[in-house]
Amino acid sequence: MALDLRRTAFLRSAAAPRDLPPDQGAEVAFAGRSNAGKSSALNAITGVHGLARASKTPGRTQLINLFEVAPDARLVDLPGYGYAAVPDAVRAGWHDMLEGYLGGRRSLRGFVLVMDIRHPLKDLDLELIDWARSRALPIHALLTKADKLSKAQADRAVREVADALGAGTGVTAFSATKGTGRDAARRAVLAWLAEG
Ligand code: GDP
């Protein structure tokens, strides 16, 4: 049966790897700096309004939120990163949790890296890219807020990120408000989930 992203529903939050659902089926993880537009992207890609609630308290959401598209097909919303004001202990916790999740998750099929198209490839983004590469995990770069740039500027940003990431990595200019890139993002996510 074809997967329908519109059926996506909240499954659970996990504060630690032991809280995660059984590691079976397929998962696609979304990561990005706080405020990059990850929640808006998840809502737009699934078409489920309010699915991922955008927390407006910087650095407070240190939970992994899991959503179920269908049995054994999940979307995983990893905590945002990059807020300078976050205390070291919270940042260390973020690292531990991410490593705990990303390091051992066998059902993880792909990794959507959400970056503001005007500020891509910051340090922690690059760290995640390196990590994904070291595990041969495919990446799709979602360059959000493309509506803030002209088409020519957005095209240039896409080219620059594609050059930096190299062959085999999808790069999409995306706008949650305008719908730009939504179909491409859906296709990437569904292709990974369909790997089962
Ligand atoms: P998150 O912290 O990464 O989950 O980011 P949010 O989805 O909460 O978005 C952060 C801010 O960027 C909010 O004020 C959103 O309204 C805004 N935003 C998100 N996506 C877009 C977009 O595609 N275009 C524009 N113009 N603003 C966006």
Side-chain angles (χ1 to χ4, degrees):
M1 197 182 69
L3 290 167
D4 182 354
L5 288 167
R6 288 170 304 184
R7 300 184 77 89
T8 307
F10 178 73
L11 181 62
R12 74 166 76 154
S13 295
R18 66 175 175 277
D19 303 328
L20 292 165
D23 191 2
Q24 60 194 37
E27 279 176 1
V28 173
F30 287 68
R33 293 171 62 81
S34 299
N35 219 38
K38 178 160 54 68
S39 306
S40 306
L42 272 161
N43 294 342
I45 289 169
T46 57
V48 180
H49 182 73
L51 180 76
R53 267 155 307 158
S55 163
K56 292 303 156 205
T57 311
R60 209 188 55 184
T61 29
Q62 293 293 314
L63 297 171
I64 295 178
N65 290 310
L66 295 113
F67 304 94
E68 192 171 70
V69 181
D72 287 346
R74 292 176 298 277
L75 304 181
V76 181
D77 184 8
L78 297 172
Y81 49 84
Y83 255 106
V86 168
D88 283 352
V90 174
R91 196 171 296 133
W94 177 83
H95 245 272
D96 287 353
M97 184 168 45
L98 232 67
E99 256 167 33
Y101 170 72
L102 295 170
R105 200 70 178 161
R106 287 168 48 196
S107 47
L108 187 58
R109 296 285 173 273
F111 184 50
V112 179
L113 183 58
V114 179
M115 299 182 285
D116 187 318
I117 195 165
R118 299 163 299 173
H119 315 287
L121 303 175
K122 299 286 188 193
D123 284 358
L124 287 164
D125 300 324
L126 295 172
E127 210 178 294
L128 283 173
I129 290 165
D130 278 351
W131 175 87
R133 285 225 174 105
S134 74
R135 282 198 56 200
L137 185 72
I139 304 171
H140 193 102
L142 207 61
L143 304 185
T144 56
K145 312 189 191 184
D147 55 282
K148 301 264 193 188
L149 296 183
S150 69
K151 176 81 168 69
Q153 287 171 320
D155 288 347
R156 191 179 322 131
V158 167
R159 270 199 308 278
E160 281 171 8
V161 172
D163 284 349
L165 292 178
T169 302
V171 183
T172 300
F174 187 85
S175 167
T177 47
K178 295 270 168 65
T180 314
R182 197 171 48 200
D183 290 340
R186 284 177 177 158
R187 278 195 298 275
V189 167
L190 286 170
W192 282 333
L193 289 179
E195 289 175 16

